[in-house]
Amino acid sequence: MTTGRNHPCPCGSGRKYKHCCLGKDDGGRKSGAAQEISDAIARAEAEQPFESIEEVNAFASALIGERNQAALADFCGLSSLQMRDLLYAPFDSPQTVRFSVDTAPGREVEVLGIFLALAEAIGEAGLKVTATGNLPLKFCKTVGQQLRAAPHQGRSSYIAGIRSEMDVEPLHCTRLVAERAGLIRKYRGYFVLTKKCKELLARQDEGGIYLELFKFYTTQFNWAYRDGYPEADIVQHAFLFTLFLLASYGEERRPQRFYEDRFLTAFPTVVEEFAETAYSPAESSARRCYVLRALERFAAVFGLAELVPEASGSYDFHYLVRKTALLDRFVSFTMNAEPDVSRIT
């Protein structure tokens, strides 16, 4: 069966064939999913001709629905629909992912520990805002000293000389996230706690505070703000895919490359956003960016992954990665199939 130029495209886009898949490949041949669907329509037509274009559309829609719900190897067992949920509706897809506020994350989780220290310092009296709009230097030094002494994951909490809030990068980031998440605000020259934050603290609802910080950091805060890499926003948009990988494979420690490989398999075009240089291939830069943003400054800082450096003292860290118990308490996924680990070493 030959699809007419003005007929709906078999790929299911809703556009006319001539404006969609016609001519996408050499000789006007369609590629990928569109070609498979077109071939299936042709085979069905050969067995029993369709009586109308409506029957063709219904047949194609059924095929597309089955395909979209099928587990995909490139997505480690997730379907296209499930990946869509993770990327575009991370907190509104209970059929695919659920979160719990009854997690009791604890102050040892870096982001929560920093926030609770900030909330205690603010208290009822507030904490004076500096002329540059930052936290006072004395408080920044106190937090910096605590971060130096506390065990942490990777480089995220490394603190050198402290001259302002900007020199305590984890504190600076947490303050920005807390402010924009509506937990603290500036009022008449002071940082003060919001009504929402006071209510959460009064209930000792650390899980609720954690979820507020988590939501804003993953969906609103620009991860690229914290480094010099290109935007590569898919690293942030796919934050739940990273957690899905950890939930699926994180029972034992695995080299960071294990997670890099699966992320690049799912989103190979991210490499195109990185420039090739004499010192670093584009793919190497993409891998380092993924580890820095998704593992060091997200999963580890939120207490969802444990990163153990394979060689300390090296500028370019390489980690062994394992999930934490908090991850399993905090987030759960619905899968089409169990991940294939038979060939994983």
Side-chain angles (χ1 to χ4, degrees), residues 67 70-80 336:
R67 183 183 180 88
L72 300 178
D74 285 356
F75 292 164
C76 297
L78 292 172
S79 69
S80 296
N336 286 344

Side-chain angles (χ1 to χ4, degrees), residues 190-311:
Y190 285 83
F191 287 104
V192 298
L193 303 177
T194 64
K195 180 180 179 182
K196 176 172 71 173
C197 183
K198 290 179 179 179
E199 291 174 351
L200 289 169
L201 290 171
R203 297 198 303 266
Q204 297 183 330
D205 188 0
E206 293 184 356
I209 293 172
Y210 177 86
L211 183 60
E212 292 294 326
L213 296 170
F214 181 89
K215 281 184 175 181
F216 188 88
Y217 186 76
T218 53
T219 62
Q220 301 295 321
F221 187 80
N222 181 10
W223 290 9
Y225 169 76
R226 305 183 69 181
D227 58 58
Y229 288 111
E231 285 293 320
D233 54 7
I234 188 60
V235 177
Q236 180 169 355
H237 290 328
F239 74 93
L240 278 181
F241 183 62
T242 292
L243 296 188
F244 170 75
L245 293 177
L246 287 166
S248 300
Y249 304 113
E251 287 291 346
E252 60 184 83
R253 288 177 178 169
R254 301 184 188 276
Q256 67 182 51
R257 191 175 182 87
F258 177 92
Y259 294 95
E260 297 170 16
D261 288 345
R262 276 142 192 80
F263 177 78
L264 291 182
T265 297
F267 307 104
T269 58
V270 68
V271 176
E272 299 172 7
E273 299 193 42
F274 294 82
E276 197 88 14
T277 70
Y279 306 100
S280 178
E283 183 177 316
S284 296
S285 296
R287 287 175 179 274
R288 286 197 298 272
C289 176
Y290 175 73
V291 171
L292 177 65
R293 292 181 185 174
L295 296 181
E296 287 187 26
R297 291 181 170 176
F298 166 53
V301 168
F302 277 83
L304 303 172
E306 173 191 88
L307 308 184
V308 179
E310 290 190 90

Side-chain angles (χ1 to χ4, degrees), residues 68-72 77-82 244 334-338:
N68 287 342
Q69 295 180 48
L72 300 178
L78 292 172
S79 69
S80 296
L81 288 176
Q82 288 173 316
F244 170 75
T334 300
M335 293 183 55
N336 286 344
E338 289 297 320

